[in-house]
Amino acid sequence: MKHILITLALLAGCLVASAQSKIVTESIQSKLLGCEQKYNVYLPGGYDAGKAYPVIYLLHGLYGDYSNWVSIGRMKDVADELIASGELVPAVIIMPNAGDNDVHNYQNGYFNVVDWPYEDFFFQEFLPAAEKKYNCGGSKGKRAIMGLSMGGGGSIVYAQRHPDLFSSAYGMSAWLDNRHREVRGSNRPTSKLTITDESVREHSALDFVDNASPETIGQLKTVEWFLDCGDDDSLMPLSVDLHLKMKKAGLHSELRVRDGGHTWEYWHTALRTSLPFASRNFSKHPTL
């Protein structure tokens, strides 16, 4: 009897272990970037490679990398809790790399610039490879994008430029433009930060709405938009301005201005709103 109980206990332990979520670190060799890019993947508890999952792309900010959302933002804990409560459907969450904390010598950013065609890499190499490997995404109705600061701006602009690919976009403390030099480049002539700085201005999310044709506005209406920024954040006016522009254009945009600044405390708590938001909107395009 004792042996039977021990065996049952071991089996129960194995079942619990197999049901736990995990973070996997992967890498992809990019021909477009000419280098290897690492990325993290959150796999929900009970992940089954034979089952299709929706996917959420979670982008990091300037001075960061693919590991930040796990090591600092504690996204795994939040995702686990939200799935357990039913607020988030079991989903694969992919955290790509688009930078380094050495912003002067390493190119950062989600847009195409000289010697760094990152947007091409993301859509032509990274997204197809990651979704095939983890049997996730595959259509607009099963794909969402979100991020913080530089990644928040990247998320919004990616969804603007590729509205056929995302059901929702969520920008946390989003760096949406640089017309007033919200983030400044460097006086160093060789600094990569200046290139990143200029690329955000050139890919302004605000200008995109201002210049959008009626046809483009119609496409943007198929995406659900959410802007979330702290009241002590210097980037907050950008979120407010974009929200007002989108509402005037007839787009469904939500705006939250909460107490807080440009901090990991703020972004950690934002996950409790952003992940359920993505989950709710997966069902709005079930056949796409």
Side-chain angles (χ1 to χ4, degrees):
M1 183 65 178
K2 182 178 180 181
H3 292 298
I4 294 175
L5 291 175
I6 293 174
T7 301
L8 290 173
L10 290 173
L11 287 172
C14 290
L15 288 172
V16 171
S18 66
Q20 291 179 344
S21 67
K22 61 181 178 180
I23 300 293
V24 179
T25 299
E26 294 282 1
S27 65
I28 179 173
Q29 186 65 39
S30 170
K31 292 181 180 179
L32 289 170
L33 298 180
C35 62
E36 182 182 68
Q37 288 291 301
K38 289 186 176 181
Y39 63 100
N40 271 343
V41 181
Y42 167 89
L43 299 176
Y47 170 78
D48 179 355
K51 176 184 175 182
Y53 290 84
V55 64
I56 299 170
Y57 289 92
L58 186 56
L59 311 187
H60 68 77
L62 189 67
Y63 295 95
D65 63 29
Y66 72 97
S67 68
N68 291 163
W69 274 113
V70 175
S71 62
I72 308 175
R74 307 193 309 281
M75 61 75 53
K76 182 178 181 296
D77 295 337
V78 178
D80 287 348
E81 292 172 14
L82 292 172
I83 290 175
S85 68
E87 297 172 82
L88 171 63
V89 297
V92 172
I93 303 175
I94 297 178
M95 293 152 275
N97 193 68
D100 186 90
N101 58 16
D102 182 0
V103 298
H104 296 291
N105 296 303
Y106 189 93
Q107 188 59 57
N108 285 257
Y110 295 95
F111 309 127
N112 290 346
V113 298
V114 176
D115 297 325
W116 183 255
Y118 192 89
E119 185 173 347
D120 289 346
F121 156 74
F122 186 93
F123 289 100
Q124 296 175 26
E125 294 182 328
F126 179 68
L127 183 150
E131 293 190 6
K132 181 179 180 181
K133 186 176 183 67
Y134 288 102
N135 196 17
C136 60
S139 68
K140 174 187 179 77
K142 298 177 66 177
R143 189 184 293 119
I145 190 165
M146 60 184 66
L148 69 90
S149 194
M150 180 180 77
S155 299
I156 297 297
V157 174
Y158 273 11
Q160 287 179 330
R161 292 161 63 86
H162 307 271
D164 57 315
L165 295 182
F166 301 102
S167 56
S168 68
Y170 193 112
M172 310 171 194
S173 312
W175 188 18
L176 299 163
D177 197 341
N178 218 33
R179 66 179 67 190
H180 302 303
R181 308 293 287 183
E182 285 83 6
V183 177
R184 297 185 177 275
S186 171
N187 292 325
R188 292 166 51 179
T190 59
S191 175
K192 301 289 188 180
L193 178 58
T194 298
I195 298 174
T196 305
D197 184 78
E198 293 172 349
S199 75
V200 173
R201 178 68 191 100
E202 292 169 0
H203 294 81
S204 166
L206 283 75
D207 287 354
F208 190 94
V209 175
D210 284 339
N211 299 327
S213 67
E215 179 183 2
T216 297
I217 292 297
Q219 294 171 343
L220 297 181
K221 287 181 178 179
T222 69
V223 181
E224 298 296 320
W225 308 90
F226 202 123
L227 298 163
D228 182 352
C229 197
D231 58 357
D232 295 321
D233 195 318
S234 63
L235 298 182
M236 186 266 288
L238 294 174
S239 289
V240 174
D241 287 351
L242 180 59
H243 172 71
L244 294 175
K245 289 178 182 292
M246 290 199 291
K247 296 292 282 187
K248 185 177 180 180
L251 304 180
H252 185 207
S253 168
E254 294 195 41
L255 172 69
R256 297 293 184 278
V257 178
R258 299 183 287 117
D259 180 42
H262 209 74
T263 66
W264 273 106
E265 178 184 4
Y266 191 92
W267 303 321
H268 172 73
T269 58
L271 286 172
R272 299 186 183 279
T273 303
S274 64
L275 293 175
F277 175 74
S279 184
R280 291 194 301 273
N281 286 297
F282 285 141
S283 62
K284 291 192 175 182
H285 304 278
T287 61
L288 297 181

